[in-house]
Amino acid sequence: MFSFVIGSLHVNADTERSKGFDLKHGPIEQWYSAMAQKAEHMMQSNQLQNGAIIASPSRHEPDYYYHWTRDAALTMDAMLLPVRNGSSPKVTAEYAARAIKYLDFSLQTQRQESLSGSVESLRNLGEPKYYVDGRPFDGPWGRPQADGPALRALTVLRLLELAKENRDFAQGLGSSGVTLAQEVVRRDLQYVLLRWRDASFDLWEEVQGSHFYTRLAQYQALIAGAKYFTEKKDQNIAAKFQREVAAVKADLERFWSEDRGYILTTLDRSGGLDYKTSNLDSSVILAALHAAEVQENKLDIYGPLDDRILATAQELKTAFNRIYPVNNIRQSKGSSVFLEPGIGRYPEDRYDGVGSSEGHPWFLATMALSELHYRVAQQLDAKGSLVITQRNYAFFRDVSPSLFSPGQKTRTVSKKDSQWQALITDLIRAGDGYAERVRFHSGDDGALSEQFNRYSGFMRGARDLTWSYASVATAWHARKKALN
Ligand code: NOJ
Ligand code: NOJ
């Protein structure tokens, strides 16, 4: 069904469906499964007839009624989770139709010159957002943004992989759908290959320079591109991708700061905001999550288990815990459930969801911390051992204090140790604590906007932010895998 309806109608439908069950209370599993349904509906209703995916139905203060390449790619990927989890043939066909519309719309945007550049130079692809009729945005904006094409390449390549594994989905796409996907992905991959060194604006659309988030997405896109062309027996092109993979990998190493003990979000700043003095940013965690999907568990650097990612996660937790008064609330009323802190974009943030005053915690950043814990649990269990280093010590000490005897810091824990099961359980519990934080500040019907107020906890910023829902869907998926 391709509904043009937005927000409220589906909210009503959801309330109907979940009658007798209160989204605010009860076990977190129940919340997750109700929210996964809600997220599915909201992502669908934020996709328009022509395939465009709006960032939010809000058209005024703020106006988010645009198709952002980044938000849309992340949403399309999350939207296909039910297919990955084995939806019925009929539902699978509906999702394939949605994917085709998304691809159609994407191709339309790719074919136009934009303020980011010409079609021939491929620079046009760096344009961050499009009107819902497919025209590139033509007002002043932080452009280009280079993460979008890399993320879309990853989404489309995953979609093509899915078609190989799932006959119903393949049938729904048809050979024309596959051809369309290949055409879209070819341009995005080419853009990443040729342009990854160019300065760009970050995912928050504020700072110009080289960004960890963008670079890691590019790295993964190049790896996936090399694989794609190898499978197509196009060895020459595949080799070009391989060469750039090595170069990007070396470049990524620059972002770790041994002095500060975390990954820096931006290097080589050449424009935009200049007050991000800490250079600490939750986009580093988003990077590990968004990129790691491609080669689950095989991400050789900066995946969820990398001790530099975990060091950064710990710094973020500590920083935001201190900055946002709302994090002093540790418990949900009448329940013993512990709330982990609400997480924002970066400590110095001034964007309040409409204009510039002071920053607030974001649902999608808080869900990212949740998902990270589930992924760590799942990957550790698959691996069977954990080396505790100087870098990840503080993270694990917070999550699972019983791992350590007094004075002990570095050590190796393995599946054979008696504390192993507790470690895995503690990781999942911590992930749940961030989800509880999101639940605590969400609407009674499970609605999620972009942010929640750092003092009062009330929702603010764009209502029904598509990406907020996508972040719940992917966290839930990660949680299920961790429990398997
Ligand atoms: C709107 C952008 O979308 C947001 O990310 C940014 O913080 C503000 N403009 C301020 O530049
Ligand atoms: C502002 C965010 O900073 C940016 O990442 C996002 O793409 C847009 N809002 C649209 O959701």
Side-chain angles (χ1 to χ4, degrees):
M1 139 214 80
F2 293 107
S3 55
F4 208 97
V5 240
I6 25 189
S8 57
L9 282 183
H10 281 287
V11 173
N12 293 336
D14 277 352
T15 322
E16 272 306 303
R17 198 166 307 118
S18 53
K19 228 179 223 157
F21 160 63
D22 168 5
L23 271 169
K24 288 297 206 175
H25 305 96
I28 196 73
E29 295 80 24
Q30 231 172 62
W31 177 81
Y32 261 125
S33 62
M35 279 303 287
Q37 262 197 43
K38 165 134 192 149
E40 204 181 309
H41 286 297
M42 297 312 288
M43 288 191 281
Q44 291 184 1
S45 57
N46 287 351
Q47 182 177 30
L48 307 182
Q49 296 277 18
N50 65 351
I53 299 175
I54 51 173
S56 150
S58 173
R59 294 173 190 245
H60 178 66
E61 294 203 330
D63 184 2
Y64 272 35
Y65 203 78
Y66 294 92
H67 173 102
W68 263 268
T69 305
R70 165 182 41 258
D71 298 47
L74 295 171
T75 301
M76 192 67 238
D77 195 49
M79 230 200 243
L80 293 178
L81 283 174
V83 177
R84 294 182 194 284
N85 295 334
S87 50
S88 71
K90 182 169 165 281
V91 170
T92 302
E94 283 169 18
Y95 278 106
R98 285 185 174 279
I100 292 175
K101 294 213 167 198
Y102 164 75
L103 292 166
D104 248 338
F105 185 86
S106 298
L107 184 61
Q108 191 192 334
T109 65
Q110 286 181 328
R111 282 182 166 153
Q112 294 169 79
E113 175 169 343
S114 69
L115 288 180
S116 293
S118 69
V119 175
E120 304 75 62
S121 69
L122 290 169
R123 284 202 168 92
N124 65 322
L125 301 182
E127 189 56 29
K129 68 176 192 179
Y130 294 83
Y131 294 103
V132 296
D133 64 5
R135 280 177 305 123
F137 182 62
D138 50 5
W141 208 251
R143 61 167 64 87
Q145 292 174 24
D147 58 322
L151 295 174
R152 184 168 53 205
L154 291 170
T155 291
V156 176
L157 288 172
R158 276 164 53 75
L159 186 156
L160 286 169
E161 286 293 311
L162 185 59
K164 284 191 208 157
E165 298 154 12
N166 185 319
R167 273 202 15 230
D168 297 327
F169 189 67
Q171 228 165 49
L173 275 187
S175 60
S176 59
V178 171
T179 308
L180 179 61
Q182 289 172 337
E183 195 170 338
V184 171
V185 85
R186 195 175 42 80
R187 291 161 190 248
D188 286 337
L189 287 175
Q190 197 71 11
Y191 170 78
V192 178
L193 183 75
L194 296 175
R195 301 263 167 246
W196 69 265
R197 284 190 174 82
D198 294 2
S200 67
F201 275 81
D202 69 321
L203 81 166
W204 308 136
E205 317 187 299
E206 298 177 327
V207 183
Q208 190 181 40
S210 310
H211 315 286
F212 181 79
Y213 179 84
T214 305
R215 199 63 91 238
L216 195 59
Q218 290 166 328
Y219 178 65
Q220 284 296 291
L222 291 170
I223 292 176
K227 180 167 168 261
Y228 174 73
F229 287 110
T230 305
E231 280 167 10
K232 283 182 122 11
K233 309 242 181 299
D234 214 331
Q235 290 306 338
N236 280 341
I237 303 197
K240 282 190 194 160
F241 277 84
Q242 284 302 353
R243 267 199 300 281
E244 297 308 304
V245 165
V248 175
K249 184 172 184 173
D251 191 65
L252 274 167
E253 291 299 324
R254 296 194 296 139
F255 289 84
W256 166 252
S257 164
E258 193 68 55
D259 293 350
R260 300 221 193 172
Y262 52 85
I263 295 165
L264 306 178
T265 188
T266 297
L267 301 175
D268 323 317
R269 184 190 157 275
S270 50
L273 299 191
D274 63 355
Y275 52 75
K276 277 175 88 162
T277 48
S278 69
N279 223 348
L280 172 69
D281 196 307
S282 59
S283 67
V284 166
I285 307 305
L286 292 172
L289 299 178
H290 296 167
E293 270 294 329
V294 183
Q295 297 215 318
E296 288 229 303
N297 303 343
K298 280 179 252 145
L299 183 69
D300 50 351
I301 50 166
Y302 294 126
L305 273 189
D306 190 308
D307 60 2
R308 295 166 296 182
I309 291 290
L310 298 180
T312 309
Q314 185 62 19
E315 289 292 331
L316 288 162
K317 176 183 176 185
T318 313
F320 288 119
N321 196 29
R322 203 176 44 231
I323 294 173
Y324 300 143
V326 80
N327 286 333
N328 292 330
I329 305 171
R330 301 289 161 145
Q331 260 175 8
S332 181
K333 234 180 250 137
S335 118
S336 59
V337 175
F338 186 76
L339 306 178
E340 294 289 353
I343 304 293
R345 298 196 297 184
Y346 54 92
E348 303 84 352
D349 199 356
R350 297 179 190 169
Y351 179 55
D352 62 16
V354 180
S356 182
S357 61
E358 51 184 354
H360 299 276
W362 281 45
F363 286 114
L364 68 91
T366 308
M367 282 317 299
L369 262 286
S370 173
E371 182 171 341
L372 178 73
H373 285 79
Y374 301 143
R375 298 262 207 129
V376 171
Q378 184 259 318
Q379 296 195 10
L380 274 183
D381 220 36
K383 202 170 163 214
S385 70
L386 160 67
V387 181
I388 294 169
T389 64
Q390 299 285 348
R391 292 172 183 171
N392 66 22
Y393 163 72
F395 175 89
F396 285 107
R397 182 206 48 206
D398 247 25
V399 169
S400 199
S402 63
L403 282 180
F404 306 91
S405 43
Q408 189 183 32
K409 272 197 150 186
T410 52
R411 65 169 293 202
T412 301
V413 199
S414 83
K415 230 171 185 159
K416 284 182 241 119
D417 292 316
S418 58
Q419 299 116 317
W420 187 260
Q421 204 40 56
L423 165 64
I424 303 297
T425 313
D426 287 342
L427 281 162
I428 293 172
R429 186 176 308 123
D432 288 351
Y434 287 98
E436 290 286 3
R437 171 65 64 184
V438 164
R439 158 149 87 166
F440 190 73
H441 299 286
S442 64
D444 286 340
D445 55 1
L448 297 175
S449 63
E450 183 184 73
Q451 319 182 3
F452 48 100
N453 189 287
R454 62 154 88 188
Y455 306 106
S456 69
F458 283 110
M459 286 200 284
R460 53 176 304 120
R463 75 186 148 95
D464 287 325
L465 188 81
T466 317
W467 188 355
S468 295
Y469 293 112
S471 74
V472 173
T474 55
W476 191 51
H477 183 67
R479 188 180 193 275
K480 282 190 294 190
K481 284 178 67 173
L483 287 171
N484 259 332

